[in-house]
Amino acid sequence: MINYAGSLDLVFQALADPSRRVMVERLSRGPASVSELARPLAMSLPAVLQHLHVLEASGIVTSEKVGRVRTCRIEPAALRTVEQWVSERRSSWEHRLDRLGDYLAEQPDEANYGREP
Amino acid sequence: MINYAGSLDLVFQALADPSRRVMVERLSRGPASVSELARPLAMSLPAVLQHLHVLEASGIVTSEKVGRVRTCRIEPAALRTVEQWVSERRSSWEHRLDRLGDYLAEQPDEANYGREP
DNA sequence: TGCATAGTTAATCATGTACTTAAGTGTATC
DNA sequence: GATACACTTAAGTACATGATTAACTATGCA
């Protein structure tokens, strides 16, 4: 059962770990097997598998097993939900700053530093 | 001492908690005091303060105390680093898919499903 | 001065996370 | 059929996280 939407909690949590980000970076260059993902990481294979589970639970990565090798790949939809959430908050803040700038520009120039409309 | 760059670890970790995201959403609409941030959250003030420390350590939020009230605001640079990291990985993957599509379009149409060049 | 307000610190506690090792399950290859 | 390969599961452990309550420190105001 895969979480295509990717709840923000799980997605941010998944990306908070540097090893998992290394895995995502590797996968952004193309699909990879579990052992390929493990190669650059200084940890046991079971540990890598646990990280993979976290990434799959978040919806960032999907995988399928053919024969004895499991091939993993990125699910861009999950990454898009993060991008969107972050960019909405940031641009909300930045547009607010613009509006505040406009407001202050219209006011007489006194003691406005740090004040809010 | 504030982390303006915002290490990816700390930033993703900070955003992984729903209460902290509520705080960021509130701040994206403008600066707020600690108790304003606390109002919609069902937890004690010390707990909110701990979340605020996490957000500040990540560089997402800054604050300054004037009189007895501490005013918090968003630091958009930290949010931009997240946006950038995620969008780079995603677009790397998506452009790779484009190139793969081009490659397959040039190949004879047989048993290419799921294969990599 | 006295008392409420806004925030802060410290100590504590229950879970959750990121590993580990040891042992087990299918697949390929000889 | 035997043996190696590529995971997979289970169990255990050390440390981090998210909350709590109790007690404390300014600041502002009547």
Side-chain angles (χ1 to χ4, degrees):
Chain A
M1 185 174 23
I2 296 159
N3 180 2
Y4 286 108
S7 95
L8 253 6
D9 274 40
L10 296 178
V11 176
F12 279 119
Q13 184 66 54
L15 293 176
D17 184 276
S19 306
R20 287 195 290 264
R21 284 202 309 280
V22 166
M23 293 168 75
V24 170
E25 292 200 27
R26 169 63 190 80
L27 290 175
S28 75
R29 295 194 297 275
S33 69
V34 174
S35 11
E36 276 175 328
L37 289 181
R39 207 176 340 261
L41 301 174
M43 65 178 70
S44 67
L45 207 54
V48 173
L49 223 19
Q50 285 180 22
H51 284 305
L52 180 59
H53 291 330
V54 173
L55 287 169
E56 292 201 72
S58 78
I60 295 173
V61 169
T62 59
S63 72
E64 72 175 325
K65 196 164 180 179
V66 175
R68 61 186 173 178
V69 33
R70 175 173 296 280
T71 302
C72 310
R73 64 192 67 224
I74 280 189
E75 199 64 54
L79 293 183
R80 232 177 273 120
T81 64
V82 189
E83 253 178 290
Q84 210 172 325
W85 190 91
V86 175
S87 108
E88 274 168 17
R89 305 313 139 200
R90 183 178 59 77
S91 74
S92 164
W93 171 262
E94 286 176 346
H95 292 150
R96 205 199 65 87
L97 278 189
D98 291 348
R99 290 194 301 277
L100 178 58
D102 293 349
Y103 170 81
L104 290 179
E106 289 166 9
Q107 294 306 112
D109 180 64
E110 44 173 65
N112 274 319
Y113 185 76
R115 285 189 51 205
E116 295 301 319
Chain B
M1 186 172 24
I2 296 160
N3 180 1
Y4 287 108
S7 96
L8 254 3
D9 273 40
L10 296 178
V11 176
F12 279 119
Q13 185 65 54
L15 294 176
D17 184 276
S19 306
R20 285 194 293 262
R21 284 202 308 281
V22 167
M23 294 168 75
V24 170
E25 292 200 26
R26 169 63 191 80
L27 290 175
S28 75
R29 296 195 296 276
S33 69
V34 174
S35 12
E36 277 175 329
L37 289 181
R39 207 177 339 262
L41 301 173
M43 65 179 68
S44 65
L45 207 54
V48 173
L49 224 18
Q50 283 181 26
H51 284 306
L52 179 59
H53 291 331
V54 173
L55 287 169
E56 293 201 71
S58 77
I60 295 172
V61 169
T62 58
S63 74
E64 71 176 325
K65 196 166 180 178
V66 174
R68 61 185 173 179
V69 31
R70 175 173 296 281
T71 301
C72 311
R73 61 193 68 224
I74 280 189
E75 199 62 55
L79 293 182
R80 232 176 273 122
T81 64
V82 189
E83 253 180 290
Q84 211 171 325
W85 190 91
V86 174
S87 108
E88 275 168 15
R89 307 310 141 202
R90 184 179 58 76
S91 73
S92 163
W93 171 262
E94 286 176 346
H95 291 149
R96 206 197 66 87
L97 279 188
D98 291 347
R99 290 193 301 278
L100 178 59
D102 294 348
Y103 170 82
L104 291 178
E106 289 167 7
Q107 295 306 110
D109 181 63
E110 45 173 60
N112 274 321
Y113 185 77
R115 285 188 51 204
E116 293 301 318

